[in-house]
Amino acid sequence: MADWTLFEVFVRSKHGLNHKHVGSVHAADATMALENARELYTRRSEGVSLWVVPAEQITASAGDEKEPFFDPADDKVYRHASFYKLPPEVDQM
Amino acid sequence: MYAQQVDTGSKGLKSLDEMSPEERHFQEKVDGEVRIEPKNWMPDGYRKTLIRQISQHAHSEIVGMLPEGNWLTRAPSLKRKLQLMAKIQDEAGHGLYLYSAMETLGADRDEEIEKLHRGEVKFSSIFTYPTLTWADMGAIGWLVDGAAIVNQVPLQRCSYGPYARAMIRVCKEESFHQRQGYEILLTMMREGTDEQKEMVQDAINRFWWPSLMMFGPSDENSPNSAQSMAWKIKRHGNDELRQRFLDQTVPQLEFLGCTAPDPDLKWNEETGHYDFGEINWQEFFDVLKGHSPCGIERIQQRKKAIDDGQWVRDAAVAYAEKKQANNAA
């Protein structure tokens, strides 16, 4: 099995929702990966749509969860609605 | 449990001051209940311990299909055949979730399976016992899967993200297993002949003690356990989990109208728990060493399944290559 490709599996659980990563499967090709993923991750109607992606095709941000990569977002509190204080009369906004 | 006596390589716990900056950062994350993910730095011992534990757990799920497979063709009705088949398929799925989680630590699946076949790593002691009658299917679902649930529920909060997430899926499916097992026994006790009722009691007699042994010997003074707890791989001691299992199981046993093969089993008003007799740990250690009714046979069956399936895997690869060549042409 070492020569089989590792595929990451994404399931859309209901129409209207986004696909979510659920795990991985090994398979000889993408068609087999889809079938294996169906057997492994949707035995109880957990999905209406499946994606399989070769794991090596995924580019991920590396390292720890609190890495400098995400720092630029930390000092921009004005991007949040709660930053803007409004009088109670119009605070429903 | 499904992973028993896992070696952490630890001789004793380090204090935060004795740790390297990396180790300290790691331990503080663990202490703060931040999950560890595959790309995060982790101590070598943590990685090795998890590989040992998850591979043993995965092997147990896969080997655990065999004692039940033994009854698949002889289940008493089509309904029972379908239910048992669904349970066995779940066990295969659990094994695969776990092998995937193990691979995120850099372990190779084929290599770990080879180690199982060479007898270098173990599977759970419980699956070395034979399944002699149909009632054993009920006893396994109820007692063995019941014990597994007690162990696996806290593993959903294990510090290692992929293992914890695999456990969440496993636990969701496991409760069907336990209920279908209990229902088998309940049906036999309510509608069965005297002989069938005796089968139920006999199955309970044989699986009672091995189920209690699944949690492993007391680990109060074990350095491995202390290390696993500090790393939050393990969250409760073996004795505590065993007691929890027993306390929830005895009323179900009484409801069935059956008894446990333990004359010392009785409710203790003072402690609010059931007292129980001495466990024969020699049997447990013998089983782990391979002196068991079916231990060797199980491994031979697993090896045969892998070997006999080689042509299917070869064919799948050949087909994939041919399709790719056709697409390219």
Side-chain angles (χ1 to χ4, degrees):
Chain A
M1 251 191 13
D3 48 349
W4 287 17
T5 309
L6 180 68
F7 290 86
E8 296 299 331
V9 181
F10 300 80
V11 176
R12 184 201 294 280
S13 57
K14 268 199 295 193
H15 291 293
L17 296 183
N18 48 358
H19 285 75
K20 200 173 151 195
H21 182 247
V22 289
S24 56
V25 291
H26 288 269
D29 62 18
T31 312
M32 185 181 179
L34 267 183
E35 285 163 4
N36 288 356
R38 179 197 60 195
E39 293 304 315
L40 193 54
Y41 294 106
T42 60
R43 284 198 301 285
R44 293 180 174 80
S45 321
E46 289 96 336
V48 293
S49 163
L50 271 176
W51 289 348
V52 291
V53 184
E56 57 176 26
Q57 297 290 322
I58 293 177
T59 308
S61 64
D64 261 319
E65 70 290 338
K66 282 279 179 201
E67 57 180 318
F69 190 68
F70 296 104
D71 281 356
D74 287 350
D75 56 359
K76 296 177 181 63
V77 281
Y78 47 82
R79 283 179 173 166
H80 296 277
S82 55
F83 178 77
Y84 301 90
K85 303 288 171 232
L86 296 180
E89 292 87 338
V90 286
D91 204 24
Q92 297 297 333
M93 201 183 293
Chain B
M1 208 358 85
Y2 277 16
Q4 293 157 332
Q5 311 276 92
V6 179
D7 182 14
T8 59
S10 171
K11 304 274 178 290
L13 289 188
K14 280 188 192 171
S15 71
L16 281 177
D17 293 337
E18 293 166 313
M19 291 177 183
S20 69
E22 277 170 322
E23 267 180 292
R24 197 177 315 139
H25 176 63
F26 167 85
Q27 189 62 48
E28 281 164 358
K29 268 171 73 178
V30 169
D31 292 344
E33 298 292 341
V34 178
R35 293 286 174 269
I36 306 300
E37 295 297 337
K39 285 186 172 180
N40 298 158
W41 185 90
M42 61 186 87
D44 207 33
Y46 178 81
R47 184 185 299 276
K48 283 186 178 150
T49 300
L50 275 170
I51 292 175
R52 273 192 211 108
Q53 172 158 344
I54 301 175
S55 73
Q56 210 188 103
H57 196 158
H59 297 330
S60 300
E61 299 283 357
I62 299 294
V63 174
M65 297 159 76
L66 295 170
E68 294 182 314
N70 185 38
W71 279 92
L72 208 43
T73 57
R74 290 172 288 162
S77 66
L78 179 61
K79 183 185 86 175
R80 292 294 187 197
K81 281 189 176 77
L82 290 171
Q83 290 166 345
L84 189 59
M85 190 70 212
K87 177 179 190 299
I88 294 171
Q89 197 187 4
D90 276 354
E91 307 299 0
H94 297 177
L96 292 177
Y97 301 153
L98 286 160
Y99 282 130
S100 289
M102 181 195 76
E103 284 173 314
T104 64
L105 291 155
D108 181 80
R109 185 185 303 204
D110 294 340
E111 207 174 296
E112 293 302 317
I113 291 173
E114 269 300 306
K115 281 188 200 163
L116 172 73
H117 294 171
R118 287 198 301 266
E120 291 167 25
V121 296
K122 309 285 177 214
F123 59 92
S124 175
S125 56
I126 194 73
F127 300 121
T128 64
Y129 294 90
T131 43
L132 304 176
T133 73
W134 169 249
D136 289 12
M137 295 303 97
I140 286 182
W142 171 45
L143 293 174
V144 175
D145 288 78
I149 291 171
V150 169
N151 179 60
Q152 287 168 342
V153 163
L155 281 175
Q156 295 178 102
R157 294 184 297 121
C158 166
S159 60
Y160 188 58
Y163 192 26
R165 292 192 285 273
M167 279 302 114
I168 291 172
R169 278 198 301 275
V170 167
C171 285
K172 255 188 215 159
E173 299 178 351
E174 206 84 69
S175 113
F176 138 60
H177 298 177
Q178 194 187 14
R179 292 171 70 102
Q180 70 91 34
Y182 192 78
E183 197 215 18
I184 288 173
L185 299 183
L186 198 58
T187 306
M188 288 175 85
M189 290 306 289
R190 283 182 169 169
E191 299 165 26
T193 61
D194 286 347
E195 210 184 344
Q196 286 168 330
K197 288 177 193 171
E198 275 167 36
M199 271 165 58
V200 173
Q201 183 61 57
D202 172 64
I204 292 169
N205 289 348
R206 282 181 289 108
F207 280 97
W208 185 262
W209 288 110
S211 300
L212 292 181
M213 285 178 205
M214 282 172 71
F215 296 90
S218 177
D219 55 355
E220 267 172 41
N221 301 310
S222 151
N224 283 326
S225 231
Q227 183 62 74
S228 271
M229 294 255 202
W231 282 334
K232 297 195 194 276
I233 294 174
K234 191 173 177 144
R235 300 231 173 214
H236 306 277
N238 295 348
D239 288 332
E240 184 190 341
L241 292 174
R242 182 170 16 251
Q243 188 69 54
R244 190 179 295 177
F245 168 66
L246 197 80
D247 287 346
Q248 72 180 39
T249 302
V250 174
Q252 297 162 357
L253 174 77
E254 285 166 356
F255 187 81
L256 272 181
C258 293
T259 57
D262 178 0
D264 296 322
L265 181 71
K266 62 170 187 300
W267 176 249
N268 184 329
E269 198 72 54
E270 237 167 80
T271 60
H273 296 289
Y274 285 92
D275 292 338
F276 56 102
E278 197 75 33
I279 293 175
N280 179 3
W281 289 113
Q282 195 52 49
E283 178 181 324
F284 175 80
F285 290 119
D286 287 346
V287 161
L288 282 195
K289 275 187 214 131
H291 307 297
S292 58
C294 302
I296 292 171
E297 181 191 326
R298 301 276 189 244
I299 295 299
Q300 284 168 345
Q301 277 176 287
R302 280 308 310 146
K303 214 176 141 358
K304 187 174 182 302
I306 297 259
D307 293 344
D308 290 354
Q310 186 61 46
W311 71 271
V312 179
R313 296 193 296 280
D314 290 345
V317 172
Y319 179 69
E321 280 169 359
K322 191 174 144 192
K323 253 197 337 189
Q324 209 171 15
N326 285 349
N327 284 348

